[in-house]
Amino acid sequence: MEQLTYTKKEGADYILFTLSGDFNAYTAPNIQSEIYSSIEKTNVVLDLANVNELDASAIGIIMATHNDAEEYKKKLYLMSLSNEVDRKLLATGFKDLFNIINSVTEVK
């Protein structure tokens, strides 16, 4: 199993998390609280281009962040979905709920 690594970068009106590796029940707790606390303050962008695995726990975190974003009047953006992430989100039937972008210049 591969670890999940991430970098965090602040933009003008967003925080960008660039994730790499396996985003699953074992690795998700490492980033979960940081994403949740960020969405309270500003928009959050999750760059998922280098995510190799996405399981139900990770999808749950993404869904919870999406719901929190609505509550705090912020937006969650999913950027550059890897094939695995795209496939898993399609399988859930929730892909259309998310703001999917290709670049941080699309953050509004």
Side-chain angles (χ1 to χ4, degrees), residues 35-36 39-40 42 44 46 58-78 94 97-99:
I35 291 172
Y36 288 167
I39 200 70
E40 293 177 19
T42 189
V44 169
L46 299 180
I59 292 171
I61 291 170
I62 292 169
M63 289 296 297
T65 305
H66 172 76
N67 293 339
D68 287 353
E70 289 184 351
E71 181 180 331
Y72 295 115
K73 309 274 191 276
K74 307 294 181 207
K75 287 189 179 180
L76 170 67
Y77 295 91
L78 305 182
F94 295 124
L97 284 178
F98 300 112
N99 299 302

Short mmCIF file of all heavy atoms in Angstrom, two decimals, residues 35-36 39-40 42 44 46 58-78 94 97-99:
data_model
loop_
_atom_site.label_atom_id
_atom_site.label_comp_id
_atom_site.label_asym_id
_atom_site.label_seq_id
_atom_site.Cartn_x
_atom_site.Cartn_y
_atom_site.Cartn_z
N ILE A 35 -8.42 19.44 5.93
CA ILE A 35 -9.38 19.82 4.89
C ILE A 35 -10.63 20.41 5.55
O ILE A 35 -11.12 21.46 5.12
CB ILE A 35 -9.75 18.61 4.01
CG1 ILE A 35 -8.56 18.19 3.15
CG2 ILE A 35 -10.95 18.93 3.11
CD1 ILE A 35 -8.77 16.89 2.39
N TYR A 36 -11.13 19.75 6.58
CA TYR A 36 -12.35 20.23 7.26
C TYR A 36 -12.15 21.63 7.84
O TYR A 36 -13.03 22.48 7.73
CB TYR A 36 -12.77 19.28 8.37
CG TYR A 36 -13.35 17.96 7.92
CD1 TYR A 36 -13.51 16.93 8.82
CD2 TYR A 36 -13.75 17.73 6.61
CE1 TYR A 36 -14.04 15.70 8.44
CE2 TYR A 36 -14.28 16.51 6.21
CZ TYR A 36 -14.43 15.51 7.13
OH TYR A 36 -14.96 14.30 6.75
N ILE A 39 -12.07 24.39 4.95
CA ILE A 39 -13.32 24.75 4.26
C ILE A 39 -14.15 25.72 5.09
O ILE A 39 -14.99 26.44 4.55
CB ILE A 39 -14.13 23.48 3.86
CG1 ILE A 39 -15.15 23.81 2.75
CG2 ILE A 39 -14.86 22.89 5.06
CD1 ILE A 39 -14.56 24.10 1.41
N GLU A 40 -13.90 25.79 6.38
CA GLU A 40 -14.61 26.77 7.22
C GLU A 40 -14.17 28.20 6.89
O GLU A 40 -14.94 29.13 7.05
CB GLU A 40 -14.32 26.51 8.70
CG GLU A 40 -14.90 25.22 9.21
CD GLU A 40 -14.52 24.96 10.66
OE1 GLU A 40 -14.12 25.91 11.37
OE2 GLU A 40 -14.64 23.80 11.08
N THR A 42 -12.23 29.23 3.79
CA THR A 42 -12.12 29.62 2.39
C THR A 42 -12.48 28.44 1.49
O THR A 42 -12.72 27.33 1.97
CB THR A 42 -10.69 30.13 2.08
OG1 THR A 42 -10.66 30.70 0.77
CG2 THR A 42 -9.65 29.03 2.21
N VAL A 44 -11.83 25.38 -1.03
CA VAL A 44 -10.81 24.34 -1.02
C VAL A 44 -10.76 23.68 -2.39
O VAL A 44 -11.80 23.37 -2.98
CB VAL A 44 -11.08 23.28 0.07
CG1 VAL A 44 -10.18 22.07 -0.09
CG2 VAL A 44 -10.89 23.90 1.46
N LEU A 46 -9.03 20.37 -4.23
CA LEU A 46 -8.31 19.11 -4.08
C LEU A 46 -7.80 18.69 -5.44
O LEU A 46 -8.58 18.37 -6.34
CB LEU A 46 -9.22 18.02 -3.51
CG LEU A 46 -9.83 18.25 -2.14
CD1 LEU A 46 -10.72 17.07 -1.75
CD2 LEU A 46 -8.76 18.48 -1.09
N ALA A 58 -12.50 7.81 1.71
CA ALA A 58 -12.06 9.05 1.07
C ALA A 58 -13.23 9.76 0.41
O ALA A 58 -13.36 10.99 0.50
CB ALA A 58 -10.97 8.75 0.06
N ILE A 59 -14.10 9.00 -0.24
CA ILE A 59 -15.29 9.59 -0.85
C ILE A 59 -16.16 10.23 0.24
O ILE A 59 -16.73 11.31 0.04
CB ILE A 59 -16.07 8.55 -1.68
CG1 ILE A 59 -15.24 8.16 -2.91
CG2 ILE A 59 -17.44 9.11 -2.10
CD1 ILE A 59 -15.79 6.99 -3.70
N GLY A 60 -16.25 9.58 1.40
CA GLY A 60 -16.99 10.15 2.52
C GLY A 60 -16.43 11.48 2.97
O GLY A 60 -17.18 12.42 3.29
N ILE A 61 -15.12 11.59 3.01
CA ILE A 61 -14.47 12.86 3.38
C ILE A 61 -14.79 13.93 2.34
O ILE A 61 -15.10 15.07 2.69
CB ILE A 61 -12.95 12.67 3.54
CG1 ILE A 61 -12.68 11.82 4.78
CG2 ILE A 61 -12.22 14.01 3.60
CD1 ILE A 61 -11.25 11.36 4.91
N ILE A 62 -14.72 13.57 1.08
CA ILE A 62 -15.03 14.52 0.01
C ILE A 62 -16.49 14.97 0.11
O ILE A 62 -16.79 16.17 0.01
CB ILE A 62 -14.71 13.91 -1.37
CG1 ILE A 62 -13.19 13.73 -1.53
CG2 ILE A 62 -15.26 14.80 -2.49
CD1 ILE A 62 -12.78 12.92 -2.73
N MET A 63 -17.39 14.03 0.35
CA MET A 63 -18.82 14.38 0.48
C MET A 63 -19.06 15.27 1.70
O MET A 63 -19.80 16.26 1.62
CB MET A 63 -19.67 13.11 0.60
CG MET A 63 -19.78 12.30 -0.67
SD MET A 63 -20.60 13.15 -2.01
CE MET A 63 -22.23 13.38 -1.34
N ALA A 64 -18.44 14.94 2.82
CA ALA A 64 -18.61 15.75 4.04
C ALA A 64 -18.07 17.16 3.82
O ALA A 64 -18.68 18.14 4.27
CB ALA A 64 -17.91 15.08 5.21
N THR A 65 -16.94 17.27 3.13
CA THR A 65 -16.36 18.59 2.84
C THR A 65 -17.29 19.37 1.93
O THR A 65 -17.49 20.58 2.12
CB THR A 65 -14.96 18.45 2.22
OG1 THR A 65 -14.14 17.66 3.08
CG2 THR A 65 -14.31 19.80 2.01
N HIS A 66 -17.86 18.70 0.96
CA HIS A 66 -18.82 19.34 0.05
C HIS A 66 -20.01 19.89 0.85
O HIS A 66 -20.43 21.03 0.65
CB HIS A 66 -19.30 18.32 -0.99
CG HIS A 66 -20.42 18.80 -1.85
ND1 HIS A 66 -20.25 19.69 -2.88
CD2 HIS A 66 -21.75 18.52 -1.81
CE1 HIS A 66 -21.42 19.94 -3.44
NE2 HIS A 66 -22.34 19.23 -2.80
N ASN A 67 -20.53 19.09 1.77
CA ASN A 67 -21.66 19.53 2.59
C ASN A 67 -21.27 20.68 3.52
O ASN A 67 -22.04 21.63 3.69
CB ASN A 67 -22.21 18.36 3.41
CG ASN A 67 -22.85 17.31 2.53
OD1 ASN A 67 -23.24 17.57 1.39
ND2 ASN A 67 -22.96 16.10 3.04
N ASP A 68 -20.08 20.59 4.12
CA ASP A 68 -19.60 21.69 4.96
C ASP A 68 -19.43 22.97 4.16
O ASP A 68 -19.72 24.06 4.66
CB ASP A 68 -18.26 21.33 5.62
CG ASP A 68 -18.40 20.30 6.72
OD1 ASP A 68 -19.54 19.94 7.09
OD2 ASP A 68 -17.35 19.83 7.22
N ALA A 69 -18.95 22.85 2.94
CA ALA A 69 -18.76 24.02 2.08
C ALA A 69 -20.07 24.76 1.89
O ALA A 69 -20.11 26.00 1.98
CB ALA A 69 -18.18 23.60 0.73
N GLU A 70 -21.14 24.02 1.65
CA GLU A 70 -22.45 24.67 1.50
C GLU A 70 -22.86 25.38 2.77
O GLU A 70 -23.38 26.49 2.74
CB GLU A 70 -23.49 23.63 1.09
CG GLU A 70 -23.32 23.15 -0.33
CD GLU A 70 -24.41 22.19 -0.78
OE1 GLU A 70 -25.22 21.75 0.07
OE2 GLU A 70 -24.45 21.89 -1.98
N GLU A 71 -22.61 24.73 3.91
CA GLU A 71 -22.96 25.32 5.20
C GLU A 71 -22.20 26.62 5.47
O GLU A 71 -22.75 27.58 5.99
CB GLU A 71 -22.67 24.31 6.31
CG GLU A 71 -23.02 24.79 7.69
CD GLU A 71 -22.72 23.76 8.76
OE1 GLU A 71 -22.76 22.56 8.48
OE2 GLU A 71 -22.41 24.19 9.89
N TYR A 72 -20.92 26.65 5.10
CA TYR A 72 -20.07 27.81 5.36
C TYR A 72 -20.06 28.80 4.19
O TYR A 72 -19.28 29.75 4.19
CB TYR A 72 -18.64 27.37 5.68
CG TYR A 72 -18.54 26.59 6.96
CD1 TYR A 72 -18.14 25.25 6.95
CD2 TYR A 72 -18.84 27.17 8.18
CE1 TYR A 72 -18.04 24.52 8.12
CE2 TYR A 72 -18.75 26.45 9.36
CZ TYR A 72 -18.35 25.12 9.32
OH TYR A 72 -18.27 24.41 10.48
N LYS A 73 -20.89 28.56 3.18
CA LYS A 73 -20.96 29.43 2.00
C LYS A 73 -19.61 29.50 1.27
O LYS A 73 -19.19 30.55 0.80
CB LYS A 73 -21.43 30.84 2.37
CG LYS A 73 -22.70 30.88 3.18
CD LYS A 73 -23.91 30.86 2.30
CE LYS A 73 -25.19 31.16 3.03
NZ LYS A 73 -25.81 30.04 3.69
N LYS A 74 -18.95 28.36 1.18
CA LYS A 74 -17.68 28.21 0.46
C LYS A 74 -17.89 27.18 -0.64
O LYS A 74 -18.97 26.62 -0.77
CB LYS A 74 -16.56 27.75 1.40
CG LYS A 74 -16.38 28.60 2.63
CD LYS A 74 -15.92 29.99 2.28
CE LYS A 74 -15.73 30.81 3.55
NZ LYS A 74 -15.89 32.21 3.36
N LYS A 75 -16.84 26.91 -1.40
CA LYS A 75 -16.94 25.90 -2.46
C LYS A 75 -15.79 24.91 -2.35
O LYS A 75 -14.66 25.29 -2.02
CB LYS A 75 -16.92 26.54 -3.84
CG LYS A 75 -18.20 27.27 -4.17
CD LYS A 75 -18.22 27.68 -5.63
CE LYS A 75 -19.52 28.39 -5.95
NZ LYS A 75 -19.57 28.80 -7.34
N LEU A 76 -16.11 23.66 -2.65
CA LEU A 76 -15.10 22.62 -2.79
C LEU A 76 -14.94 22.36 -4.28
O LEU A 76 -15.93 22.16 -4.99
CB LEU A 76 -15.54 21.33 -2.09
CG LEU A 76 -14.67 20.10 -2.38
CD1 LEU A 76 -13.27 20.28 -1.79
CD2 LEU A 76 -15.32 18.84 -1.85
N TYR A 77 -13.68 22.37 -4.73
CA TYR A 77 -13.38 22.07 -6.12
C TYR A 77 -12.52 20.82 -6.19
O TYR A 77 -11.57 20.67 -5.39
CB TYR A 77 -12.59 23.23 -6.77
CG TYR A 77 -13.37 24.51 -6.88
CD1 TYR A 77 -13.32 25.45 -5.86
CD2 TYR A 77 -14.14 24.78 -8.00
CE1 TYR A 77 -14.03 26.64 -5.94
CE2 TYR A 77 -14.86 25.98 -8.10
CZ TYR A 77 -14.79 26.89 -7.07
OH TYR A 77 -15.50 28.06 -7.16
N LEU A 78 -12.83 19.94 -7.13
CA LEU A 78 -11.99 18.79 -7.41
C LEU A 78 -11.28 19.08 -8.72
O LEU A 78 -11.93 19.38 -9.73
CB LEU A 78 -12.83 17.52 -7.52
CG LEU A 78 -13.73 17.19 -6.33
CD1 LEU A 78 -14.47 15.88 -6.57
CD2 LEU A 78 -12.95 17.15 -5.04
N PHE A 94 -22.46 10.40 -7.82
CA PHE A 94 -22.42 11.76 -7.26
C PHE A 94 -21.48 12.70 -8.00
O PHE A 94 -21.32 13.85 -7.60
CB PHE A 94 -21.98 11.72 -5.79
CG PHE A 94 -22.95 11.03 -4.89
CD1 PHE A 94 -22.54 9.97 -4.10
CD2 PHE A 94 -24.28 11.41 -4.83
CE1 PHE A 94 -23.43 9.31 -3.25
CE2 PHE A 94 -25.18 10.77 -3.99
CZ PHE A 94 -24.74 9.71 -3.21
N LEU A 97 -22.41 16.31 -8.68
CA LEU A 97 -22.57 17.23 -7.55
C LEU A 97 -21.38 18.16 -7.38
O LEU A 97 -21.51 19.25 -6.84
CB LEU A 97 -22.69 16.45 -6.24
CG LEU A 97 -23.99 15.77 -5.92
CD1 LEU A 97 -23.86 15.02 -4.60
CD2 LEU A 97 -25.12 16.76 -5.84
N PHE A 98 -20.22 17.71 -7.83
CA PHE A 98 -18.97 18.41 -7.53
C PHE A 98 -18.61 19.45 -8.58
O PHE A 98 -18.95 19.33 -9.75
CB PHE A 98 -17.83 17.41 -7.39
CG PHE A 98 -18.04 16.41 -6.30
CD1 PHE A 98 -18.26 15.08 -6.59
CD2 PHE A 98 -18.05 16.81 -4.97
CE1 PHE A 98 -18.47 14.15 -5.59
CE2 PHE A 98 -18.26 15.89 -3.96
CZ PHE A 98 -18.47 14.57 -4.28
N ASN A 99 -17.89 20.48 -8.12
CA ASN A 99 -17.30 21.48 -9.00
C ASN A 99 -15.97 20.90 -9.47
O ASN A 99 -15.00 20.88 -8.71
CB ASN A 99 -17.05 22.79 -8.24
CG ASN A 99 -18.32 23.39 -7.70
OD1 ASN A 99 -19.23 23.67 -8.45
ND2 ASN A 99 -18.38 23.56 -6.39
#
